[in-house]
């Protein structure tokens, strides 16, 4: 390992430690120094993005996130975070592209699956319904459905007239919900 790589790694570690201790200004300076020493170090850009997000919000981290994935295109969490930043800045289609790219790298990336489902629900295009069902099914298989996503999944299955599958998910949603009345109502409809 060259002296430059060692120095970059030291600044990256220092940035991480400082950020974890709430010393964001100093962490930001260390991350910037790391990106200056090696402008192609993905982890240095990632640390810079995390510091910028904590200090100024997600929008401020977009350029550093773009650099992160440029130098580490296999990094699913980087794609996911960039997607979230795009969504927060009203670039929904770009956010969805990033989430899809994250899932190409890690199809079981739970955070991305959840954020992609929300983004597709927000976009609300007819052609997104099947994709949402696939995403929700993946979350179901991973044991990651909550009361809202289980209800949405059951509802979408019911709309497709897959009543048996819908009943199974509504039953799960009833167990997860603090207020299962809508689940019981929809269960009755599906049993009919």
């Amino acid at each position: 390992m060259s002296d430059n790589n060692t120095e970059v790694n030291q600044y990256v570690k220092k940035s991480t430690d400082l950020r974890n201790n709430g010393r964001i200004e100093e962490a930001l300076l260390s991350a910037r120094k790391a990106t200056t020493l090696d402008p192609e170090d993905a982890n240095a850009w990632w640390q810079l993005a995390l510091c910028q997000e904590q200090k100024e919000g997600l929008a401020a981290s977009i350029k550093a996130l773009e650099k992160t994935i440029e130098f580490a295109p296999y990094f699913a969490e980087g794609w996911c975070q960039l997607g979230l930043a795009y969504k927060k800045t009203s670039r929904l289609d770009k956010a969805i592209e990033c989430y899809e790219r994250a899932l190409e790298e890690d199809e079981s990336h739970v955070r991305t699956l959840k954020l992609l489902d929300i983004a597709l629900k927000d976009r609300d295009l007819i052609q997104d319904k099947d994709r949402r069902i696939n995403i929700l099914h993946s979350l179901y298989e991973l044991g990651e459905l909550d009361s809202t996503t289980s209800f949405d999944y059951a509802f979408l299955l019911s709309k497709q007239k897959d009543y048996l599958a819908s009943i199974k998910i509504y039953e799960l949603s009833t167990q997860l919900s603090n207020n299962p009345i809508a689940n019981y109502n929809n269960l009755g409809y599906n049993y009919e």
Side-chain angles (χ1 to χ4, degrees):
M1 182 180 290
S2 74
D3 288 339
N4 192 44
N5 284 344
T6 301
E7 193 175 4
V8 170
N9 289 337
Q10 288 171 346
Y11 276 105
V12 166
K13 182 180 180 341
K14 184 176 180 182
S15 177
T16 302
D17 293 343
L18 289 166
R19 185 175 44 78
N20 288 336
N21 289 317
R23 296 167 59 187
I24 304 305
E25 286 292 334
E26 295 166 271
L28 194 55
L29 291 172
S30 292
R32 282 191 205 283
K33 180 68 175 178
T35 62
T36 302
L37 288 169
D38 185 353
E40 295 184 6
D41 187 292
N43 195 17
W45 287 106
W46 176 246
Q47 294 309 317
L48 180 60
L50 295 176
C51 291
Q52 289 172 325
E53 177 190 349
Q54 275 193 292
K55 184 173 188 250
E56 303 166 39
L58 269 170
S61 70
I62 289 176
K63 294 240 183 276
L65 289 168
E66 289 171 341
K67 286 290 195 181
T68 300
I69 60 164
E70 177 183 341
F71 300 118
Y74 50 82
F75 184 39
E77 183 64 22
W79 285 105
C80 178
Q81 192 69 5
L82 181 58
L84 183 59
Y86 282 147
K87 184 165 189 294
K88 294 286 184 184
T89 56
S90 301
R91 294 185 262 180
L92 187 57
D93 289 337
K94 282 191 74 81
I96 290 170
E97 289 173 20
C98 288
Y99 296 145
E100 292 288 8
R101 183 65 170 84
L103 292 175
E104 286 176 24
E105 297 304 326
D106 180 358
E107 66 185 21
S108 300
H109 196 262
V110 171
R111 182 171 181 244
T112 300
L113 288 165
K114 289 180 177 185
L115 289 171
L116 179 55
D117 176 57
I118 292 167
L120 292 173
K121 185 176 181 178
D122 289 348
R123 188 163 72 176
D124 196 30
L125 298 177
I126 292 170
Q127 59 265 34
D128 291 338
K129 300 283 189 246
D130 288 340
R131 182 66 178 128
R132 280 195 71 212
I133 288 173
N134 291 336
I135 291 164
L136 291 166
H137 183 73
S138 294
L139 287 168
Y140 169 71
E141 289 195 335
L142 292 167
E144 292 290 339
L145 288 178
D146 58 28
S147 61
T148 301
T149 52
S150 60
F151 185 87
D152 286 354
Y153 184 30
F155 184 79
L156 289 169
L157 289 169
S158 181
K159 290 283 244 182
Q160 286 193 330
K161 301 187 185 322
D162 190 349
Y163 300 117
L164 292 176
S166 179
I167 287 168
K168 181 178 176 182
I169 304 302
Y170 271 128
E171 288 172 348
L172 171 66
S173 183
T174 301
Q175 295 169 7
L176 296 172
S177 177
N178 290 331
N179 186 9
I181 294 170
N183 289 304
Y184 290 129
N185 184 45
N186 290 345
L187 265 170
Y189 170 79
N190 280 283
Y191 281 128
E192 241 179 63

